[in-house]
Amino acid sequence: MSTRPELLGYTAPLSPEGRAGLVPRPPWHYVGEMLVIEYWADPEAVAAVLPGPIEPHPDPGRCAAMFVDWQSCSDEGGELLDPSRSQYKEFFIVCNGLLDGEEVTTCPYIWVDRDFALARGWLQGFPKKLGSIWVTRTFGLDCAADPGLREGATFGGTLSAYDRRLAEGTVRLERISGDGPTHNDPPIHNVRYFARLSAGDHDRPAVNELVRTVSRERSVGEIWEGSATLELFGGPTDEHDRLAPVRVGKGFRVPFAYTVDDLVTVTEL
Amino acid sequence: MSTRPELLGYTAPLSPEGRAGLVPRPPWHYVGEMLVIEYWADPEAVAAVLPGPIEPHPDPGRCAAMFVDWQSCSDEGGELLDPSRSQYKEFFIVCNGLLDGEEVTTCPYIWVDRDFALARGWLQGFPKKLGSIWVTRTFGLDCAADPGLREGATFGGTLSAYDRRLAEGTVRLERISGDGPTHNDPPIHNVRYFARLSAGDHDRPAVNELVRTVSRERSVGEIWEGSATLELFGGPTDEHDRLAPVRVGKGFRVPFAYTVDDLVTVTEL
Amino acid sequence: MSTRPELLGYTAPLSPEGRAGLVPRPPWHYVGEMLVIEYWADPEAVAAVLPGPIEPHPDPGRCAAMFVDWQSCSDEGGELLDPSRSQYKEFFIVCNGLLDGEEVTTCPYIWVDRDFALARGWLQGFPKKLGSIWVTRTFGLDCAADPGLREGATFGGTLSAYDRRLAEGTVRLERISGDGPTHNDPPIHNVRYFARLSAGDHDRPAVNELVRTVSRERSVGEIWEGSATLELFGGPTDEHDRLAPVRVGKGFRVPFAYTVDDLVTVTEL
Amino acid sequence: MSTRPELLGYTAPLSPEGRAGLVPRPPWHYVGEMLVIEYWADPEAVAAVLPGPIEPHPDPGRCAAMFVDWQSCSDEGGELLDPSRSQYKEFFIVCNGLLDGEEVTTCPYIWVDRDFALARGWLQGFPKKLGSIWVTRTFGLDCAADPGLREGATFGGTLSAYDRRLAEGTVRLERISGDGPTHNDPPIHNVRYFARLSAGDHDRPAVNELVRTVSRERSVGEIWEGSATLELFGGPTDEHDRLAPVRVGKGFRVPFAYTVDDLVTVTEL
């Protein structure tokens, strides 16, 4: 064996200086603006996507859909001044369930629009695919192009992937929220999954574990709430429309920040 | 001649219902966050891009570079709830000059990342090309992923086109600005230009006129200012690097809104 | 007046060296692979998009839809070795009509995926918007990933814009074609259109003329033909679905090359 | 435990019908056109990226760079008729080494432009990141926009990622090749790598194994060869420029097809 120096980095590609990896080393710091739409899907469709030991929630079919406009960075990567490496947008659905009697959520489907966010998600068990996500913004000026944060202001979100529209939602602000959204509140439990390619092992993944996300430094800005709409559209490579709303609850706009550098494995699947 | 109904719309493609045109009918309402970097380029390089009757400015080489994160809409297009039709990012340079003794600016080079903004620019005389532009954002939360609006916060902007990095800039906030930027303040005068393709007419454009932009409903949010950096990189299809800074002045972050539905033709060129 | 040197180039932005313009100076050389789908739309819908003096065709509703995978270049731009400046994909519809008794076509709707092709189209009267277009390819190898050029091989094309699927088509090869497609054969007549923004002039375009395209150095490779499918989907900013097929004819796969550096103005509109 | 049906699919997201996974179940069939540029980098730089037990090659610094234009599909996914799910472009470098005395290659750096190809690569140990890749094409017509397959025809490839140009290469055809390229010929050995996020485990990946790719149904079309150029450019998140050429050998254009549904694990790392 040679005495070559070790390759460095957190994800592939490892490299001599450790700068080439697709995902910088944790911690990862996030700040964003979320549209949260609380809704209920067909309870059987929700039960069908609960992984492993997660049981249906007593409020059958409880879900939330989120459109999020994110900025993120690591401690040393310089992403904030090269913002193509820090900004991305995201759409995801969480379903509510019970794990050992505790209320939890799980994310069956999620799309982001940048590769670093895609891979960072896989490492946390978010089953991310690439998509095109857009979310209405406010800039704090009172003008026709800015909905503002006021009663009657309406924010929209859209998702497409592989050149098909897959989701649309709106939130119409009515009041500053007291408690904020609850459908996305329980701790999220995802499946970390990494398949094998060896012949005969295609159904024996190398990694298949239920994990509980851990975050810290969470902070929330002023939350507005109001009425909401949500439509989910299927396609040849997407099944999230099975989770289409049978009833839509309240919508929220939530400024949100947090930091991630940990994860807890709950069980092998 | 038939009695077919007229085709409707503001730009091509005109269509039976008038919904298909690339650019919706004015007025166009804009809101955005601008990084403005005041600087001075080589005076001869600036003189070389002043169109027609615009003479060099007494402060030789005075320019500004802007990275802007925009949201825009028309009166009836529903763009704000389908935000892929309302949001875009932009980088442009303005050069200062004199027109009949009056201080003016002109935009020799500009890039945007969406087609509706490209065409809307052409109609105003902005010589837009497509590029990829990114600008650091603040979300109003005190966290590691958000520079915030405070002394020492630094915002960055980048431009690339045809897979080459073409510009990078930063603005480091130091204080709330008294007067805001001045290099981009004089009324902007652009060249509306639409070439002919008929043989022999390739150098006889169908439209070639100096126009003065007109806007209304202008509003400005809280402006911060501080130190700045700017680098411009050339390429086989770009000459903006001839306007690279020989001296960089102050940088600003400016929330800005306005409305456009008019233009004044100054002279044929 | 100064004695500044003239700004150079074919389109904006004109520049000191003439390299910065979005579209290089003609001639423009094209080569590509076209899927051509002959079909008939509702005759009234077709009549409604025929510009100016073009009258309905005696074969009512005759149209063609094309998905094209292009490579193009100018004489001196070096595009072929920097292929992000030479390759683009396109979807367009042509409708058949009569102009002074002569069979002609006109293009009411067209999408491309690159800015240089967008602007080059406007100059020829093609009312281009940006979209995402994909077309099945053959690489000449006999394998599962290559449909090949043989009986039963099927090629597909798709179009989306603003995150919505707008068109899908297929061509199933059955035989080498004798005559090739005819619905797209008559000389194409488009509307060159460039709007005004001055108040009161929004409906008085600066350029609005019916033009007849001129091309030279045309060559065609081996054409295959067979059965075809076509679906057109509307959206808030698109009306091409009014031209959806009521009957689909034959489909063709056509390798095609030509050169453009001329155009004939037929009439002001 | 419930008796819920199992979730189906090959990669995340697993789903009730098994259609939602980012990567369809193998086999995966590929066909493409490759530009292969044989070259030599600094031997120490090459040694520094050889994983685990791979030793430097007796021909020090031997590498190849490839620009590839791919079309791929699975057995049942319908990708060929929805070609946004089948086509992608790729740039990668392979370095030559010895494994137990056998000549092998390894891929330290690779970029693709679509998410399904990114994830499919990760499963094979290709450390893929997203980039923008372009490759000159031939369409088989004798015209100015088509280099053709003939002496003197020149093909180019480019790579960019995060808005920076990262590589450029050209191949000038001189003759039909006898043996084809050799620098990329030995069996490729990559590192399958999947990090952990649990605190304390950031440097203890869940998967870190040297694997040998396995393919079948390989076929090659007519290979041309000639002279070549290659430039590699670094950036804040890329170290492939350490493998920049100190000498460039021959270039090749290779039509290529193969099928993958297997992989051999050589050793844990």
Side-chain angles (χ1 to χ4, degrees):
Chain A
M1 283 293 295
S2 73
T3 58
R4 297 194 303 268
E6 202 180 0
L7 290 167
L8 305 177
Y10 176 64
T11 67
L14 302 187
S15 61
E17 299 177 31
R19 290 184 291 111
L22 175 50
V23 178
R25 180 172 297 274
W28 307 317
H29 309 290
Y30 301 75
V31 63
E33 289 165 355
M34 308 176 69
L35 297 184
V36 181
I37 300 168
E38 299 190 328
Y39 79 97
W40 290 262
D42 171 57
E44 289 194 23
V46 171
V49 298
L50 299 179
I54 300 182
E55 296 288 331
H57 192 274
D59 179 9
R62 185 192 285 192
C63 293
M66 269 71 61
F67 296 92
V68 200
D69 201 348
W70 287 115
Q71 185 167 274
S72 70
C73 64
S74 63
D75 276 351
E76 296 170 14
E79 295 94 340
L80 292 187
L81 297 187
D82 194 12
S84 79
R85 295 190 276 129
S86 68
Q87 296 174 5
Y88 67 105
K89 296 195 284 290
E90 181 171 86
F91 173 78
F92 67 114
I93 295 170
V94 295
C95 299
N96 286 241
L98 294 180
L99 179 62
D100 296 330
E102 178 195 8
E103 287 193 301
V104 298
T105 57
T106 189
C107 172
Y109 304 116
I110 180 168
W111 291 260
V112 291
D113 59 7
R114 303 289 290 168
D115 63 349
F116 68 88
L118 182 80
R120 206 166 53 186
W122 294 345
L123 298 175
Q124 300 173 74
F126 284 101
K128 291 186 178 179
K129 304 198 283 190
L130 282 189
S132 173
I133 301 100
W134 294 84
V135 193
T136 312
R137 290 174 57 182
T138 179
F139 295 76
L141 289 174
D142 182 13
C143 65
D146 193 330
L149 293 175
R150 54 178 178 73
E151 188 186 336
T154 307
F155 289 74
T158 63
L159 164 72
S160 82
Y162 287 103
D163 288 1
R164 286 185 172 84
R165 181 68 62 106
L166 296 182
E168 295 179 2
T170 63
V171 174
R172 185 180 182 281
L173 308 188
E174 288 166 3
R175 70 193 76 80
I176 294 175
S177 179
D179 297 325
T182 58
H183 286 210
N184 64 328
D185 201 45
I188 191 160
H189 288 67
N190 293 323
V191 178
R192 267 171 54 96
Y193 197 91
F194 196 69
R196 280 197 180 90
L197 180 55
S198 306
D201 286 343
H202 297 175
D203 289 308
R204 295 183 52 247
V207 178
N208 186 16
E209 56 188 11
L210 189 70
V211 294
R212 178 185 185 115
T213 63
V214 178
S215 62
R216 55 184 177 87
E217 311 281 338
R218 296 168 68 98
S219 66
V220 177
E222 185 182 74
I223 303 176
W224 280 74
E225 68 175 41
S227 56
T229 65
L230 178 67
E231 289 182 280
L232 304 178
F233 312 108
T237 59
D238 292 296
E239 301 179 32
H240 64 291
D241 58 315
R242 297 166 64 110
L243 299 174
V246 294
R247 180 160 65 94
V248 176
K250 284 199 290 190
F252 301 83
R253 185 180 178 281
V254 185
F256 182 56
Y258 69 124
T259 288
V260 169
D261 55 5
D262 195 5
L263 191 73
V264 171
T265 300
V266 174
T267 183
E268 300 293 320
L269 294 175
Chain B
M1 285 293 294
S2 74
T3 57
R4 296 194 302 268
E6 202 179 359
L7 290 167
L8 305 177
Y10 176 63
T11 67
L14 302 186
S15 61
E17 299 178 30
R19 290 184 292 111
L22 175 50
V23 178
R25 179 172 297 276
W28 307 317
H29 309 291
Y30 301 75
V31 64
E33 288 165 355
M34 306 177 70
L35 296 185
V36 181
I37 299 168
E38 298 190 329
Y39 78 98
W40 289 262
D42 171 58
E44 287 195 22
V46 171
V49 297
L50 299 178
I54 299 182
E55 295 289 331
H57 192 274
D59 179 10
R62 183 191 285 193
C63 293
M66 268 73 59
F67 296 93
V68 200
D69 202 348
W70 287 115
Q71 185 167 273
S72 70
C73 64
S74 64
D75 277 351
E76 296 171 14
E79 295 95 340
L80 291 187
L81 296 188
D82 193 11
S84 79
R85 294 190 274 128
S86 68
Q87 295 175 6
Y88 67 105
K89 296 195 284 291
E90 181 171 85
F91 173 78
F92 67 113
I93 294 170
V94 295
C95 298
N96 286 240
L98 294 179
L99 179 63
D100 297 331
E102 177 195 8
E103 287 192 302
V104 297
T105 57
T106 189
C107 173
Y109 303 117
I110 181 168
W111 291 260
V112 291
D113 60 5
R114 304 290 289 167
D115 63 348
F116 68 88
L118 180 83
R120 207 166 53 185
W122 280 42
L123 298 175
Q124 301 174 75
F126 284 101
K128 291 186 180 180
K129 304 198 283 189
L130 282 190
S132 173
I133 301 101
W134 295 85
V135 192
T136 312
R137 290 173 57 182
T138 180
F139 295 77
L141 288 175
D142 183 12
C143 65
D146 192 331
L149 292 175
R150 54 179 179 73
E151 188 184 335
T154 307
F155 289 73
T158 62
L159 164 71
S160 82
Y162 287 102
D163 288 359
R164 285 184 172 86
R165 181 69 61 107
L166 297 182
E168 295 179 2
T170 63
V171 174
R172 186 180 182 282
L173 308 188
E174 289 166 2
R175 69 194 74 81
I176 293 176
S177 179
D179 297 325
T182 57
H183 286 210
N184 64 329
D185 202 46
I188 192 160
H189 288 67
N190 293 323
V191 178
R192 267 172 53 98
Y193 197 91
F194 196 70
R196 281 197 179 89
L197 180 54
S198 306
D201 286 343
H202 297 176
D203 289 309
R204 296 183 50 247
V207 178
N208 186 16
E209 56 188 13
L210 188 70
V211 295
R212 178 186 184 113
T213 62
V214 177
S215 62
R216 56 186 176 85
E217 311 281 340
R218 295 167 69 98
S219 64
V220 176
E222 185 182 72
I223 302 176
W224 280 74
E225 68 175 40
S227 57
T229 65
L230 178 67
E231 289 182 280
L232 304 178
F233 312 108
T237 58
D238 291 296
E239 300 179 33
H240 65 290
D241 57 315
R242 296 167 65 110
L243 300 175
V246 295
R247 181 160 65 94
V248 176
K250 285 198 288 190
F252 300 84
R253 185 179 178 281
V254 185
F256 183 56
Y258 69 123
T259 289
V260 169
D261 54 6
D262 196 5
L263 191 74
V264 170
T265 299
V266 174
T267 183
E268 300 293 320
L269 294 175
Chain C
M1 283 293 294
S2 74
T3 57
R4 297 194 301 268
E6 202 179 359
L7 291 167
L8 305 177
Y10 176 63
T11 67
L14 302 186
S15 61
E17 299 176 30
R19 291 184 292 110
L22 176 50
V23 178
R25 179 172 298 276
W28 307 317
H29 309 290
Y30 301 74
V31 64
E33 289 164 355
M34 307 177 69
L35 297 184
V36 180
I37 299 168
E38 299 189 328
Y39 78 97
W40 289 262
D42 171 59
E44 287 195 23
V46 171
V49 296
L50 299 177
I54 299 182
E55 295 289 331
H57 192 274
D59 179 10
R62 184 191 284 193
C63 292
M66 268 72 60
F67 296 92
V68 200
D69 201 349
W70 288 115
Q71 185 167 272
S72 69
C73 64
S74 64
D75 277 351
E76 296 170 14
E79 294 94 340
L80 291 186
L81 296 187
D82 194 11
S84 79
R85 294 189 275 128
S86 69
Q87 294 174 5
Y88 67 105
K89 295 194 285 292
E90 181 171 87
F91 172 79
F92 66 113
I93 295 169
V94 295
C95 298
N96 286 241
L98 294 178
L99 179 62
D100 297 331
E102 177 195 9
E103 286 191 302
V104 298
T105 57
T106 189
C107 173
Y109 304 116
I110 181 169
W111 291 259
V112 292
D113 60 6
R114 303 290 290 167
D115 62 349
F116 67 87
L118 182 81
R120 205 166 55 184
W122 294 345
L123 298 175
Q124 300 173 76
F126 284 101
K128 291 186 179 180
K129 305 198 282 190
L130 282 189
S132 174
I133 301 100
W134 295 85
V135 193
T136 311
R137 290 174 56 183
T138 180
F139 295 76
L141 289 174
D142 182 12
C143 65
D146 193 330
L149 292 175
R150 54 179 179 74
E151 188 185 335
T154 308
F155 289 73
T158 62
L159 164 71
S160 82
Y162 288 102
D163 288 0
R164 285 183 173 86
R165 181 68 60 107
L166 298 181
E168 296 179 2
T170 63
V171 174
R172 186 180 181 282
L173 308 188
E174 290 167 3
R175 70 193 73 80
I176 294 176
S177 179
D179 298 326
T182 56
H183 286 210
N184 64 328
D185 202 46
I188 192 160
H189 287 67
N190 293 323
V191 178
R192 268 172 52 97
Y193 197 90
F194 196 69
R196 280 198 180 88
L197 181 55
S198 306
D201 286 342
H202 297 175
D203 289 308
R204 295 184 49 248
V207 177
N208 186 16
E209 56 188 11
L210 188 70
V211 294
R212 179 184 183 115
T213 62
V214 177
S215 62
R216 56 185 176 86
E217 311 282 339
R218 295 167 68 98
S219 65
V220 176
E222 185 182 72
I223 302 176
W224 279 75
E225 68 176 40
S227 57
T229 65
L230 178 67
E231 290 182 279
L232 304 178
F233 311 108
T237 59
D238 292 296
E239 300 179 34
H240 64 292
D241 58 314
R242 297 166 64 111
L243 300 174
V246 295
R247 180 160 66 95
V248 176
K250 285 199 289 191
F252 301 83
R253 185 179 178 281
V254 185
F256 182 56
Y258 69 123
T259 289
V260 170
D261 54 7
D262 195 5
L263 191 74
V264 171
T265 299
V266 174
T267 183
E268 300 292 321
L269 295 175
Chain D
M1 284 293 295
S2 74
T3 58
R4 296 194 302 267
E6 203 179 358
L7 290 167
L8 304 177
Y10 176 64
T11 67
L14 302 187
S15 60
E17 299 177 31
R19 290 185 292 110
L22 175 50
V23 178
R25 179 173 298 274
W28 308 315
H29 310 291
Y30 302 74
V31 64
E33 289 165 353
M34 307 177 69
L35 297 183
V36 180
I37 299 168
E38 298 189 329
Y39 79 98
W40 290 262
D42 171 57
E44 288 195 23
V46 171
V49 298
L50 299 178
I54 300 182
E55 296 289 330
H57 193 274
D59 180 9
R62 185 191 285 192
C63 293
M66 268 72 62
F67 296 92
V68 200
D69 201 348
W70 287 114
Q71 184 166 275
S72 69
C73 64
S74 63
D75 276 352
E76 296 171 13
E79 295 94 340
L80 292 186
L81 297 187
D82 194 11
S84 79
R85 295 189 276 129
S86 68
Q87 296 175 4
Y88 67 106
K89 295 194 286 289
E90 182 171 85
F91 172 78
F92 67 114
I93 294 169
V94 295
C95 298
N96 285 239
L98 295 179
L99 179 62
D100 296 331
E102 177 196 8
E103 288 192 302
V104 298
T105 56
T106 189
C107 173
Y109 304 116
I110 181 168
W111 291 259
V112 292
D113 60 6
R114 303 290 291 169
D115 63 349
F116 67 88
L118 180 82
R120 209 166 51 186
W122 280 44
L123 297 175
Q124 300 174 76
F126 285 100
K128 291 186 178 179
K129 304 198 282 190
L130 282 189
S132 174
I133 301 101
W134 294 85
V135 193
T136 311
R137 290 173 57 182
T138 179
F139 295 76
L141 290 174
D142 182 13
C143 64
D146 193 331
L149 292 176
R150 54 178 179 75
E151 188 184 336
T154 308
F155 289 74
T158 62
L159 165 70
S160 82
Y162 288 102
D163 288 1
R164 286 183 172 86
R165 181 68 61 108
L166 297 182
E168 295 179 2
T170 62
V171 174
R172 185 180 181 281
L173 308 188
E174 289 166 3
R175 70 193 75 80
I176 293 176
S177 180
D179 298 325
T182 57
H183 286 210
N184 64 328
D185 202 46
I188 191 160
H189 288 67
N190 292 324
V191 178
R192 268 172 52 97
Y193 197 92
F194 197 69
R196 280 198 179 89
L197 180 54
S198 305
D201 286 343
H202 297 175
D203 289 307
R204 295 183 52 247
V207 178
N208 185 18
E209 56 186 12
L210 189 70
V211 294
R212 179 186 184 114
T213 63
V214 178
S215 61
R216 56 184 176 87
E217 311 280 340
R218 296 167 69 98
S219 65
V220 176
E222 185 181 73
I223 302 177
W224 280 74
E225 68 175 41
S227 57
T229 65
L230 178 67
E231 290 182 279
L232 304 179
F233 312 108
T237 59
D238 292 296
E239 300 180 34
H240 65 290
D241 58 316
R242 296 166 65 110
L243 300 174
V246 294
R247 180 159 66 93
V248 177
K250 284 199 289 191
F252 301 83
R253 185 179 178 281
V254 185
F256 183 56
Y258 69 125
T259 289
V260 170
D261 55 5
D262 195 5
L263 191 74
V264 171
T265 299
V266 174
T267 184
E268 300 292 320
L269 294 175

